[in-house]
Amino acid sequence: MILAVDFDGTLSLGEWPEVGPANGALITYLKERQNLGDKLILWTCRAGEALADAVDFCSSNGLEFDAVNDNLPEITEKYGNNSRKISCDLYIDDRAVGCTDMAVECAINQ
C-alpha cells in the first residue's frame, strides 16, 4: 500500500511556518505501516527551506519517506510518466473529504 501524508495540520500540529508539535499517534501508525511494507510519500505544499524543515522534523521523529512531493519510481515506471498527481492508495490530510463523507453530507442536507 502507498500512503501519501500531508505535513501542516497532519504530521505537525503547529501553525505554518513553524514545525511541531508532532502528531505522535499518526507518526507511530505510519512507522508501523512502513514496517509492514507500506510505502510513504510526504505530500505537502511546502517547498525550499520550509520543506527541508518538515523533512528534518519528521526524520528527528523517526519517520523517513520513500518519496517527497513526488511519485515513487516504480509508479513512474509503471505508467511511463511522472504525473503531477501523486499515485497512492490512501491520502492522509487534515483537509481531506472522502467520498463517503460527501455522501453522508448530501443525505443529511436532503
Side-chain angles (χ1 to χ4, degrees):
M1 182 179 288
I2 302 170
L3 296 89
V5 60
D6 179 43
F7 184 76
D8 292 291
T10 305
L11 287 167
S12 170
L13 301 175
E15 295 292 323
W16 161 265
E18 302 303 318
V19 295
N23 183 340
L26 178 57
I27 290 171
T28 297
Y29 171 77
L30 293 171
K31 289 192 284 189
E32 289 170 0
R33 297 304 313 180
Q34 227 173 8
N35 287 336
L36 293 171
D38 291 346
K39 303 283 183 144
L40 302 180
I41 299 173
L42 179 61
W43 184 233
T44 177
C45 291
R46 286 178 175 247
E49 187 177 330
L51 177 58
D53 291 344
V55 171
D56 290 345
F57 172 81
C58 290
S59 182
S60 72
N61 281 281
L63 188 59
E64 302 291 335
F65 296 96
D66 298 288
V68 175
N69 286 344
D70 202 2
N71 280 300
L72 299 173
E74 57 264 36
I75 296 298
T76 301
E77 183 177 327
K78 178 179 179 179
Y79 294 107
N81 66 64
N82 191 4
S83 163
R84 292 184 323 162
K85 182 177 180 181
I86 295 299
S87 180
C88 68
D89 301 296
L90 180 67
Y91 291 97
I92 302 173
D93 192 311
D94 62 311
R95 297 181 183 237
V97 176
C99 293
T100 54
D101 298 329
M102 290 301 297
V104 168
E105 182 67 26
C106 290
I108 291 170
N109 289 328
Q110 288 185 3

